[in-house]
Amino acid sequence: MPSPSAPTTSVASAAAHPVAIRDVAREFALAGGSLPVLRDVDLDIEPGEIVVLLGTSGSGKSTLLRQVCGLDVPSSGHVLIDGTPVRGVDPRCAVAFQEPRLLAWRSLSQNVALGLPRGTDKQDGAARVAELLELVGLAEFGGHRPKQVSGGMAQRAALARALARSPGVLLLDEPFGALDALTRLRMQDLLLDIHAAEPSTVVLVTHDVDEALYLADRIVLLAASPSGPGNTIGSVRTVPGQRPRDRAFDPQIARLRIELLEGLGVPSHHEDDHGPTTTTRNDVHRSTRHRNDDDRTDRPVGPRSSS
Amino acid sequence: MSRGGIDIQDPLVEDHLDDRVTEPDRTATGERSTATPDRPAVRSGARARIPGLRLVGWVVVPMALLGLWQAVTAAQVFSPVALPAPGAVWSAGVNLAERGELSGHIAISSQRVLLGFAIGAVLGLLAGAAIGLSRLADTLFAPSIGAFRAVPSLAWVPLLLLWLGIAETSKVTLIAIGAFFPVYTTVAAAFRHVDRDLIEVGRAYGFHGHRLLGRIMMPATMPSIVAGLRLALAQAWLFLVAAELIASSQGLGFLLMESQSNGRTDRLLLAIVLLAVLGKLTDTVIGLVERRLLRKWG
């Protein structure tokens, strides 16, 4: 159900849409009963905002993302995009997954073209695909097959495919989770470039606190619900500062990181109250060891550590 | 939704997997239709790289076998009646060709194989796609089809003769039955196992129904389908001989039977060599088609 404001044939980027999640619950039917995953989820997302859903494995963040685009249906409650409810897979959304999920038998440009809205004029479509490949830095690789390019390139193609839909809402399910550390950091910057060029609403799922802090306007932490089995929104945090944010040390963000990590049940080993110190930084680093990367380890933290 | 492990695996799938055998050539009497694993052994290009070695396999080794045959007969290890020399088999062939019989045998056998293969493959594709795509069809019909598959081919022969007579129809039907099951099994398994993630991508990009089938599922199953067709063709030759051994007045299977009762080992060996050559020839043709398709869809 495209809203009046969402052009379905034009290849120009669509307007960013607001998303409203209303009292959404989702439980999965299992052989021996049901598994409640989400309950009482209420969230309003501004048009053009980047919201990161953060949570531990199995916290239902991917499930929530799927409710937004209609790939999965809430057991109760509903999702509104631009004021109209999501019924079935919504053409105003585009999704990219943790794996590129490209069709092996198509070239990268053909894969990107798969994302074009139905009924796109052939020439306009080709121009749009070329433009998107350029945007994600794959202009010279349009003719390659997915197997012939690296994982990062494939993921960039998958991102371009999502953008080809000119989505009002761009949904990203751990889009950089399978990439190596440095590629991941570059992809985060690429996402911000894309968002600057085509500012759709972005909902991104991750369990990487630093990624969330770097990308998000707001971070939604999913946590166990106090009122029954299943997860719900534990807290919503606004990330201070303008993007692109300093990848090096920022005391305000460091404090938020500590809070988020503790919200995820990871001890931050943060000891004192007189502001984060270099030692604290290292402690935080140690506590996020499940990430095999850390762009900050080789950067000086001293000069910025005083607040 | 495969996410969260909610998708309950179909227990029948395991069943089919267990049944799958890579080698299609079992004896004519004891065979069951066979299919291929998901990754068929057809990506042979990756293995046989050295071009010289290839030539050895196609020319030198067969010639050596022929030479061994010649040597054994020249040494008179067996009597010429039991094992005629290659030359004797050749002249038997020339003799039959001169009398205009050989081409008739070859033509009718090829016709039966191709016709039966075409019918069986098309039906196998349709049935396999239906079972593989629809959980309902799978639940309702897969067990019965599996039971029919378990029937050894020769068991059908008396019934087919009774129902369809000894004319072409019964033979082509038997061959079609033989070609049906490999295609059915591989195609059904392939459609069952299309990557759920890719299907989700298709859905996320607005494909459903025939578009999802055409854009995502068919291409994804293409390699398995072609592998199934290849097995079916081998099976078709197998069933041809079974059909012709029992009731026919022409064809390579008939030539086998007739030569056995006349004690013409030379013609008997001729028929076997011809079956080998024709079988390999059709397999090579379909192998070439397969390579082209895999380059496009693999």
Side-chain angles (χ1 to χ4, degrees):
Chain A
M1 265 97 297
S3 78
S5 64
T8 47
T9 50
S10 159
V11 289
S13 42
H17 290 309
V19 178
I21 298 169
R22 292 281 173 266
D23 203 24
V24 162
R26 179 72 170 109
E27 45 189 53
F28 289 115
L30 288 182
S34 70
L35 174 72
V37 175
L38 290 171
R39 60 187 298 138
D40 311 323
V41 178
D42 268 292
L43 184 66
D44 279 288
I45 300 169
E46 301 291 320
E49 190 181 16
I50 300 183
V51 165
V52 169
L53 302 179
L54 189 64
T56 52
S57 305
S59 62
K61 48 195 192 305
S62 290
T63 305
L64 184 56
L65 192 84
R66 280 173 165 71
Q67 317 293 322
V68 176
C69 57
L71 274 178
D72 191 29
V73 183
S75 306
S76 66
H78 55 273
V79 176
L80 302 163
I81 293 179
D82 199 21
T84 53
V86 171
R87 285 196 199 90
V89 177
D90 198 291
R92 293 169 292 179
C93 299
V95 199
F97 303 91
Q98 179 169 359
E99 323 77 31
R101 301 197 191 177
L102 300 174
L103 306 182
W105 55 89
R106 287 173 167 236
S107 68
L108 292 189
S109 1
Q110 288 170 327
N111 266 289
V112 174
L114 197 77
L116 292 169
R118 186 93 29 88
T120 305
D121 176 82
K122 217 171 185 179
Q123 276 190 327
D124 292 353
R128 176 73 171 145
V129 168
E131 182 193 346
L132 288 169
L133 285 173
E134 179 84 45
L135 181 64
V136 299
L138 291 174
E140 282 149 43
F141 297 92
H144 284 57
R145 291 287 184 94
K147 273 178 202 154
Q148 297 171 312
V149 300
S150 71
M153 289 161 85
Q155 192 63 326
R156 277 187 273 157
L159 212 51
R161 178 177 62 187
L163 294 168
R165 270 203 126 183
S166 301
V169 183
L170 178 61
L171 302 163
L172 304 170
D173 189 1
E174 299 193 38
F176 316 131
L179 302 176
D180 71 86
L182 290 172
T183 309
R184 186 183 315 173
L185 299 182
R186 287 194 197 101
M187 291 289 283
Q188 290 167 359
D189 283 324
L190 173 67
L191 176 63
L192 294 182
D193 291 345
I194 287 169
H195 187 251
E198 314 200 346
S200 59
T201 308
V202 176
V203 184
L204 183 142
V205 160
T206 186
H207 46 68
D208 181 340
V209 172
D210 290 312
E211 183 168 279
L213 288 166
Y214 186 66
L215 295 175
D217 290 307
R218 285 188 300 158
I219 297 176
V220 174
L221 189 65
L222 292 175
S225 169
S227 54
N231 290 297
T232 190
I233 294 176
S235 63
V236 181
R237 316 298 298 262
T238 301
V239 183
Q242 291 293 306
R243 287 186 299 261
R245 298 197 176 94
D246 197 335
R247 281 209 189 268
F249 186 71
D250 180 309
Q252 270 185 302
I253 288 184
R255 190 162 292 280
L256 188 52
R257 177 187 293 115
I258 288 161
E259 287 165 19
L260 289 169
L261 283 171
E262 281 176 350
L264 291 167
V266 180
S268 70
H269 305 288
H270 182 65
E271 284 160 9
D272 52 285
D273 257 344
H274 33 269
T277 62
T278 311
T279 2
T280 313
R281 259 297 300 150
N282 290 340
D283 284 346
V284 172
H285 176 221
R286 196 184 307 138
S287 66
T288 56
R289 193 170 286 164
H290 65 278
R291 301 180 51 196
N292 54 4
D293 66 299
D294 196 321
D295 56 309
R296 295 163 190 86
T297 49
D298 55 356
R299 296 189 191 194
V301 283
R304 294 185 149 268
S305 62
S306 56
S307 51
Chain B
M1 284 283 96
S2 57
R3 281 266 154 175
I6 304 304
D7 193 12
I8 287 129
Q9 262 299 331
D10 183 349
L12 290 164
V13 171
E14 298 306 315
D15 228 302
H16 289 299
L17 285 173
D18 291 343
D19 288 351
R20 289 192 281 165
V21 186
T22 31
E23 287 299 314
D25 38 15
R26 293 209 219 154
T27 61
T29 44
E31 91 290 296
R32 297 186 3 180
S33 50
T34 51
T36 184
D38 285 332
R39 300 276 164 271
V42 289
R43 295 165 195 245
S44 50
R47 275 179 294 166
R49 273 273 181 262
I50 314 157
L53 221 54
R54 203 148 227 217
L55 192 72
V56 169
W58 279 88
V59 178
V60 178
V61 172
M63 292 309 277
L65 284 172
L66 209 62
L68 184 70
W69 180 6
Q70 176 67 44
V72 167
T73 48
Q76 305 220 323
V77 180
F78 306 102
S79 78
V81 178
L83 185 66
V89 172
W90 174 257
S91 37
V94 169
N95 176 255
L96 272 179
E98 277 167 354
R99 287 160 53 184
E101 284 176 33
L102 191 63
S103 57
H105 289 311
I106 293 174
I108 194 71
S109 284
S110 306
Q111 180 191 312
R112 286 166 184 158
V113 162
L114 295 180
L115 203 59
F117 166 71
I119 295 169
V122 168
L123 293 178
L125 265 172
L126 294 176
I131 300 285
L133 289 172
S134 156
R135 189 148 286 204
L136 182 70
D138 190 0
T139 316
L140 290 180
F141 301 116
S144 303
I145 298 181
F148 277 109
R149 209 186 95 186
V151 177
S153 66
L154 286 191
W156 293 111
V157 171
L159 193 66
L160 290 175
L161 289 179
L162 207 62
W163 282 354
L164 304 171
I166 55 166
E168 287 304 296
T169 324
S170 60
K171 297 181 191 65
V172 172
T173 307
L174 187 68
I175 294 165
I177 291 174
F180 172 85
F181 286 107
V183 177
Y184 160 75
T185 320
T186 21
V187 171
F191 273 112
R192 274 197 204 97
H193 295 128
V194 174
D195 189 349
R196 301 278 147 193
D197 284 355
L198 286 187
I199 294 177
E200 192 180 47
V201 163
R203 292 211 307 127
Y205 287 92
F207 297 114
H208 46 84
H210 71 277
R211 278 205 176 83
L212 189 63
L213 189 69
R215 299 277 173 86
I216 311 270
M217 302 184 79
M218 288 290 282
T221 50
M222 192 60 81
S224 306
I225 291 174
V226 186
L229 289 177
R230 198 171 181 179
L231 285 174
L233 189 61
Q235 194 89 326
W237 282 104
L238 212 78
F239 276 59
L240 167 84
V241 175
E244 288 183 342
L245 277 179
I246 287 148
S248 62
S249 53
Q250 216 184 1
L252 293 170
F254 168 76
L255 185 60
L256 282 171
M257 279 306 277
E258 192 201 36
S259 310
Q260 187 216 355
S261 37
N262 297 343
R264 292 293 301 264
T265 332
D266 50 349
R267 286 186 181 173
L268 219 157
L269 282 167
L270 174 72
I272 288 173
V273 170
L274 282 173
L275 282 170
V277 169
L278 286 173
K280 188 63 204 164
L281 195 70
T282 49
D283 186 62
T284 306
V285 170
I286 211 169
L288 289 175
V289 174
E290 183 176 39
R291 279 229 320 247
R292 286 197 63 155
L293 283 170
L294 284 183
R295 207 170 299 151
K296 184 151 168 42
W297 304 104

